[in-house]
Amino acid sequence: MVATSVVQHKTAPAYNYADSVWCTYIVSVAAACVAEVITYPLDLTKTRLQIQGEAASQATNGDKKLPHRGMVKTGLGIIREEGVSKLWRGVTPALYRHVVYSGCRIVTYEKIRASMSKNRDGTFPVWKSAISGVSSGALAQFLSSPADLVKVQIQMEGKRQLQGKAPRVHSPWHAFQKILSEGGIRGLWKGSIPNVQRAALVNLGDLTTYDTAKHLIISHTSLSDSHLTHVLSSGMAGLVAATMGTPADVVKTRIMNQPTDINGRGLLYKSSLDCLLRTVENEGFLALYKGFLPVWIRMAPWSLTFWLSFEQIRHSLGATGF
């Protein structure tokens, strides 16, 4: 009788709070906020580059015309013309977004991955990881799309001021109220379709690449689950995510930034497909990769900072590896 109870005690899994959903969620949000604050100036630069050149941004009716700039000149121009602190314009709604987005995408990915069967050798098939990444990214972005919309509109206010235009919004809360009053609840999800498409592609690149690369490195090299492995995996994840997500990111930014009528309908583009086609027609295919360099330069350190922070916090709490 005693022996039986000992065996049962040994086989019963002990509860580890560090592996719980709520702990994983909190750790994901904390790691994402650290990465966001560090790399945010590149996100602002990327957004300005993506708007540059579109019909909506061209000077008309006496508006002050701004010259086309590259990544470095755009960043330096923001510092010179608006001030260093404006490199973090819109960071507050960006952090709000991660409270929803980053927590949801990691928790959902792990749940979907855990529900799927693995190969006989214990590895996770790439196609199943891809399904998990696309699904978790799309869901998380849809839920956090209102905060992303507010962030984009705040980011563009500095450029409007330089063009001599009156500001559309004065703060994240004012932007939220304005969007809600003009378009209702539905207006909070303006641009959500290209946003969700982008998030699905980015997470296919980020989550799937990181997860797959990490386990391939551990399985086929002498490296262990260490910082070096995390650095190599996150570097590959950032490059793939930027390559797959930039075109959808350009469309998302332009849809979100376009003016709307009294019914909340866009005045420049009928849909994300219309925006895509008109961008290519008017500016060429490479316009879909406007801002790619700052996207990649940002996504690489963002991915590195996020995954290192995420893995290190989880390790310190005693959780299992990602």
Side-chain angles (χ1 to χ4, degrees):
M1 180 68 72
V2 175
T4 301
S5 63
V6 171
V7 172
Q8 291 177 343
H9 176 72
K10 287 183 178 180
T11 57
Y15 175 75
N16 184 2
Y17 78 92
D19 285 325
S20 64
V21 171
W22 67 266
C23 187
T24 302
Y25 194 101
I26 293 174
V27 171
S28 303
V29 172
C33 287
V34 171
E36 188 71 20
V37 170
I38 292 174
T39 62
Y40 188 80
L42 285 169
D43 184 58
L44 176 63
T45 302
K46 173 264 300 182
T47 301
R48 296 285 182 90
L49 284 173
Q50 289 174 339
I51 293 298
Q52 179 176 271
E54 72 165 335
S57 68
Q58 300 307 307
T60 57
N61 301 324
D63 290 336
K64 184 178 179 181
K65 189 173 183 177
L66 298 178
H68 282 241
R69 295 168 168 169
M71 182 190 72
V72 175
K73 287 186 177 180
T74 297
L76 293 176
I78 294 172
I79 295 174
R80 183 176 60 255
E81 297 160 359
E82 304 173 46
V84 176
S85 64
K86 298 306 180 183
L87 287 172
W88 280 268
R89 183 192 293 267
V91 72
T92 301
L95 296 178
Y96 291 160
R97 170 181 177 266
H98 280 294
V99 171
V100 179
Y101 174 75
S102 291
C104 284
R105 78 175 186 127
I106 295 297
V107 167
T108 304
Y109 181 84
E110 286 198 327
K111 285 295 182 181
I112 296 176
R113 184 178 64 177
S115 67
M116 292 184 173
S117 59
K118 296 183 178 181
N119 295 326
R120 291 183 178 181
D121 59 359
T123 58
F124 195 58
V126 175
W127 69 270
K128 291 185 178 180
S129 180
I131 292 176
S132 302
V134 168
S135 302
S136 59
L139 175 62
Q141 185 55 62
F142 178 78
L143 295 175
S144 62
S145 193
D148 215 13
L149 176 59
V150 171
K151 182 193 76 171
V152 168
Q153 296 205 356
I154 291 291
Q155 286 179 331
M156 294 310 301
E157 282 308 303
K159 184 173 182 178
R160 288 179 59 84
Q161 292 174 13
L162 293 176
Q163 290 176 319
K165 299 179 180 179
R168 292 183 299 186
V169 295
H170 303 286
S171 67
W173 177 243
H174 179 234
F176 177 82
Q177 290 180 312
K178 186 173 183 291
I179 295 167
L180 191 61
S181 64
E182 293 179 352
I185 296 295
R186 184 178 180 181
L188 293 173
W189 272 265
K190 183 176 77 169
S192 62
I193 294 178
N195 217 1
V196 168
Q197 292 169 342
R198 170 191 173 274
L201 292 172
V202 166
N203 281 278
L204 174 60
D206 185 35
L207 289 174
T208 302
T209 302
Y210 181 83
D211 193 13
T212 303
K214 175 183 172 181
H215 289 92
L216 284 175
I217 290 172
I218 294 174
S219 301
H220 295 83
T221 70
S222 59
L223 295 177
S224 60
D225 190 1
S226 61
H227 288 326
L228 179 56
T229 299
H230 302 159
V231 168
L232 295 174
S233 302
S234 62
M236 286 184 274
L239 177 58
V240 175
T243 302
M244 298 185 70
T246 298
D249 194 42
V250 171
V251 173
K252 176 215 72 170
T253 299
R254 294 188 172 195
I255 289 289
M256 285 185 164
N257 185 63
Q258 71 171 329
T260 57
D261 60 19
I262 58 174
N263 296 316
R265 291 191 293 264
L267 297 177
L268 298 175
Y269 310 112
K270 298 176 183 179
S271 63
S272 57
L273 178 60
D274 180 52
C275 179
L276 175 70
L277 295 176
R278 291 179 63 180
T279 298
V280 173
E281 180 182 358
N282 296 330
E283 303 168 53
F285 178 78
L286 291 180
L288 295 177
Y289 279 89
K290 280 190 174 183
F292 173 79
L293 188 56
V295 166
W296 179 48
I297 291 176
R298 182 200 185 222
M299 200 162 283
W302 195 100
S303 184
L304 173 64
T305 306
F306 173 79
W307 287 114
L308 282 177
S309 301
F310 180 73
E311 297 270 24
Q312 186 58 43
I313 296 172
R314 281 171 65 96
H315 178 74
S316 63
L317 293 174
T320 54
F322 180 75

